[in-house]
Amino acid sequence: MATTRKVTPGREGYKILFSENIVIMNHKFAAAAAIYNTPQNALIRNIRKDFPGMKEAVVSGHECHSAKKNRRLTYENMETHIGAYDNADELMAQFETVKSLSQTCVSPYKYVCDWFIAQFPLYAKAPTSTQEGLVMPIVKAPEIKLYKTKEEKVN
């Protein structure tokens, strides 16, 4: 049984596989090779001249093998989820406060997302209503000092 392995371009942006008679390059290297008189263009021209039958393939330099945990968790989707609760006004006020506090952070989205996940730990599952309705107790915002903050520019 033959094993297949994924071949990625090297650190320079390309790799020559003589056994398979192919040049593998990433998108950035291929774009630079398409511009006349660049070092990448000269290298590809030399390869084509020295090995006329060699094929060229452009592949992604990096592929993600794990799912993105915050995929589709946008501010708009957060607001939609908050709107499903009976105490949506209180939750929305806290959400706006957290968004305002996040503006001092280097990554405001991460601050808001961390609060949202703490507030709604099971947000991916559909909430079930009880007899008293769908109510979620409010969780306070995370400590701002735990996050990197934007440094003030000194003139």
Side-chain angles (χ1 to χ4, degrees), residues 15-153:
K15 185 182 281 185
I16 301 173
L17 299 174
F18 291 105
S19 62
E20 298 177 21
N21 200 28
I22 191 167
V23 177
I24 297 174
M25 59 187 107
N26 63 19
H27 292 284
K28 186 175 180 182
F29 185 88
I35 300 171
Y36 186 73
N37 217 11
T38 60
Q40 293 87 349
N41 180 267
L43 180 72
I44 291 296
R45 279 187 298 162
N46 288 339
I47 290 172
R48 287 176 184 158
K49 184 175 78 174
D50 294 342
F51 309 102
M54 188 155 296
K55 299 175 194 162
E56 298 171 7
V58 179
V59 297
S60 175
H62 174 74
E63 290 186 11
C64 185
H65 297 289
S66 61
K68 295 178 182 176
K69 69 176 191 175
N70 291 338
R71 184 171 183 263
R72 296 187 54 154
L73 187 59
T74 61
Y75 287 165
E76 184 178 337
N77 288 344
M78 290 180 197
E79 291 172 0
T80 303
H81 185 81
I82 290 170
Y85 290 90
D86 290 341
N87 62 339
D89 295 335
E90 297 171 40
L91 291 168
M92 195 57 76
Q94 180 69 12
F95 179 66
E96 294 300 328
T97 302
V98 169
K99 280 195 335 189
S100 298
L101 289 172
S102 72
Q103 296 307 309
T104 60
C105 296
V106 172
S107 178
Y109 172 77
K110 180 176 177 7
Y111 183 80
V112 174
C113 189
D114 287 348
W115 169 81
F116 186 81
I117 291 171
Q119 178 70 49
F120 306 101
L122 302 174
Y123 77 93
K125 296 180 181 167
T128 56
S129 60
T130 59
Q131 290 193 347
E132 62 270 357
L134 203 55
V135 178
M136 180 64 84
I138 294 179
V139 174
K140 69 177 197 155
E143 291 291 326
I144 199 82
K145 61 185 175 186
L146 299 176
Y147 295 84
K148 289 183 181 178
T149 57
K150 297 176 185 174
E151 298 190 356
E152 296 179 22
K153 294 182 181 177

